[in-house]
Amino acid sequence: MERVGFLLQVKEGRQSEYLKAHEPGVIWPSIVESCRRAGMRNYSGWLGGEGMRQVFGYFETKDLQASLVSLRSDPDNLEWQRHMAPLMEHSGEGNGESMKLLRPAFYLP
């Protein structure tokens, strides 16, 4: 499994909306299933940094590129991206462009 870390940026003043959209019972079940269909596991995210605007996300997948290709063509993911776009800086419209992948630097199994 590949371990994937990435960063996104929430627009100023939209942090509480971002957090609300990801609460259990609020996040769309269809987007959760889209991620699973794309092969993503152990997906989690944190909000922090200056102004609590930076999102650090993490997930595991057998093949990152295959997961991204799957999401780019998934109608539920594309709708989620459109829904979230007003809250995000530099929305990639569901194609992964806004996701800044991080380089692994340390792992303690």
Side-chain angles (χ1 to χ4, degrees), residues 2 37-39 61-72:
E2 286 184 68
R37 281 192 305 271
T61 182
K62 289 182 182 176
D63 183 337
L64 174 58
Q65 291 309 311
S67 292
L68 294 177
V69 166
S70 175
L71 288 176
R72 285 180 190 131

Side-chain angles (χ1 to χ4, degrees), residues 15-33 76 79-80 83-84 87:
Q15 299 92 322
S16 62
E17 293 171 83
Y18 180 89
L19 288 170
K20 179 69 175 172
H22 289 84
E23 287 179 1
V26 177
I27 192 169
W28 299 357
S30 61
I31 192 59
V32 172
E33 286 307 312
D76 293 320
E79 183 61 28
W80 175 257
H83 175 71
M84 294 301 294
L87 309 182

Side-chain angles (χ1 to χ4, degrees), residues 10-13 17 24 36 51 64:
V10 178
K11 287 181 180 176
E12 182 64 45
E17 293 171 83
R36 287 186 177 136
L64 174 58

Side-chain angles (χ1 to χ4, degrees), residues 11 81-82 84-86 88-95 97-98:
K11 287 181 180 176
Q81 296 303 320
R82 282 189 289 275
M84 294 301 294
M88 307 304 295
E89 297 285 352
H90 311 294
S91 173
E93 299 301 321
N95 60 16
E97 290 177 9
S98 63

